[in-house]
Amino acid sequence: MTKRLILFALFSLALCSGISCSSDSESGEKETITVKKTVTKVLEYAPAFGQFVNELPPYETGDTPESMRLKAEKALMNNEVITLGGFGGYVVFGFDHTIENRPGKRDVRILGNAFTNNAEPGVILVAYDRNKNGRPDEEEWFELAGSEHSNPAVVKNYAITYFRPTKSAVETPGEVKHYIRWKDNQGNEGWKIKNQFHQQQYYPQWIKADSITFSGTLLPNNAVQVGQTENSWQLKTFGWGYADNYPNTREGATIDIDWAVDQAGNPVHLPGIDFIKIYTGLNQEAGWLGETSTEVAGAIDLHLE
Ligand SMILES: [Ca+2]
Ligand SMILES: [Ca+2]
Ligand SMILES: [Ca+2]
């Protein structure tokens, strides 16, 4: 997430208070089932490093992966922004009902904090709880084929490892160029910068391991430098099918479950979905804006909107 985004975060969509619907029970009596059109649970929150990590949501001493999951859950239930950090950082969330896949229609609106020339696309996966065990099993996940699906610049099965910064790098004030070391499975390595605007720790503080590895589909860089001034960086929007890519009110923020594909890239038809996973799709730094990191602020079942 970039510095300006905090100021411009869009929360223009009204929160859901719940939708009531009636159905006939077996005994013939009317029973009312209330379902929410918004996120009702976060199953996992695992951001990569980032200039808003440990802040959105805030880390406090003693926090664990479980307490951070609860903070992320509270945020998404209230349509508040959480950051996923650099490439691969992810969140998994769910709903209290199956979101129907209506033929030829968009089904879900994914909320982020993108605005014009500030797209930080995240890859979206969806899961239908076919075996009804209440959780997304590995074979139930399918990636959405967004507009870049066939772009030759996309790297499938990309993996990157970030290493915990040294104590001296953490304690050095101001900009630190050699802050967080990273290494990928394409033979690249380098350092992530600590910028002067964000001086809190960038490595998730509730993680005990000295390195964290993430994998997925790496999208092409979208940053364009259009001049030499502070505001000269633009983060271009992709066509469709990504999170934090269009302003929340635009059709570009909505997805069709029928965009799901299997590992070989073949379309998969799902009757609906119970879970969504989103991870940051870029490994990119854009000058003063810092690293590109997807933000998520929840999701809405469009058929209940
Ligand atoms: Ca659909
Ligand atoms: Ca399942
Ligand atoms: Ca963003």
Side-chain angles (χ1 to χ4, degrees):
M1 163 144 135
T2 60
K3 184 169 179 277
R4 281 189 296 166
L5 299 191
I6 282 280
L7 304 172
F8 286 81
L10 294 170
F11 300 109
S12 49
L13 290 159
L15 292 175
C16 174
S17 56
I19 305 277
S20 294
C21 30
S22 296
S23 69
D24 293 316
S25 69
E26 280 175 21
S27 62
E29 290 168 8
K30 282 271 184 198
E31 60 179 26
T32 300
I33 305 160
T34 301
V35 293
K36 279 195 157 59
K37 64 182 179 180
T38 52
V39 171
T40 56
K41 57 200 160 195
V42 165
L43 289 84
E44 218 181 329
Y45 172 59
F49 87 100
Q51 60 187 319
F52 286 93
V53 170
N54 302 309
E55 284 190 344
L56 290 175
Y59 167 83
E60 291 153 299
T61 305
D63 269 332
T64 61
E66 173 60 11
S67 64
M68 292 305 292
R69 180 194 68 76
L70 286 168
K71 288 181 183 184
E73 180 171 273
K74 194 175 168 205
L76 294 198
M77 286 176 71
N78 290 299
N79 290 13
E80 292 167 3
V81 168
I82 62 169
T83 190
L84 303 183
F87 176 85
Y90 65 90
V91 63
V92 179
F93 54 85
F95 304 85
D96 64 4
H97 65 289
T98 302
I99 297 179
E100 189 190 342
N101 179 13
R102 293 204 184 153
K105 292 246 187 309
R106 305 279 178 108
D107 309 292
V108 191
R109 184 179 299 279
I110 307 286
L111 306 178
N113 65 355
F115 56 98
T116 304
N117 290 321
N118 258 281
E120 300 183 290
V123 175
I124 303 169
L125 291 91
V126 293
Y128 173 60
D129 189 14
R130 198 172 290 280
N131 62 7
K132 304 292 173 203
N133 66 353
R135 56 175 194 270
D137 298 278
E138 204 46 50
E139 69 278 7
E140 290 173 343
W141 283 120
F142 295 99
E143 191 170 314
L144 295 190
S147 58
E148 307 314 296
H149 183 63
S150 303
N151 185 330
V154 163
V155 182
K156 306 263 187 213
N157 304 312
Y158 183 73
I160 187 167
T161 299
Y162 307 100
F163 298 89
R164 185 190 296 280
T166 63
K167 195 163 178 282
S168 76
V170 166
E171 288 170 358
T172 303
E175 185 181 277
V176 179
K177 285 203 156 62
H178 288 186
Y179 182 46
I180 289 177
R181 191 164 72 83
W182 63 272
K183 206 173 175 180
D184 69 16
N185 64 350
Q186 309 291 306
N188 307 306
E189 55 186 315
W191 294 88
K192 298 297 184 185
I193 295 166
K194 174 164 75 174
N195 68 48
Q196 57 179 310
F197 306 112
H198 300 281
Q199 293 286 301
Q200 94 289 357
Q201 297 225 31
Y202 288 18
Y203 191 90
Q205 289 302 287
W206 59 96
I207 298 298
K208 293 209 161 61
D210 287 333
S211 70
I212 39 179
T213 300
F214 296 93
S215 56
T217 300
L218 178 68
L219 301 175
N221 285 346
N222 71 338
V224 180
Q225 192 170 11
V226 292
Q228 294 303 318
T229 66
E230 238 208 3
N231 297 317
S232 63
W233 287 90
Q234 295 185 349
L235 303 174
K236 296 295 184 186
T237 298
F238 289 142
W240 72 88
Y242 302 99
D244 202 17
N245 184 43
Y246 277 93
N248 290 340
T249 51
R250 298 272 304 274
E251 193 189 27
T254 64
I255 57 163
D256 186 341
I257 295 167
D258 274 330
W259 293 339
V261 293
D262 64 16
Q263 295 273 359
N266 302 312
V268 171
H269 177 73
L270 302 172
I273 57 166
D274 299 281
F275 306 101
I276 295 177
K277 177 178 180 174
I278 297 172
Y279 63 86
T280 297
L282 286 87
N283 178 25
Q284 168 182 270
E285 247 110 21
W288 77 281
L289 293 175
E291 92 281 342
T292 307
S293 66
T294 303
E295 276 77 37
V296 178
I300 296 173
D301 179 343
L302 288 176
H303 309 314
L304 297 179
E305 201 171 30

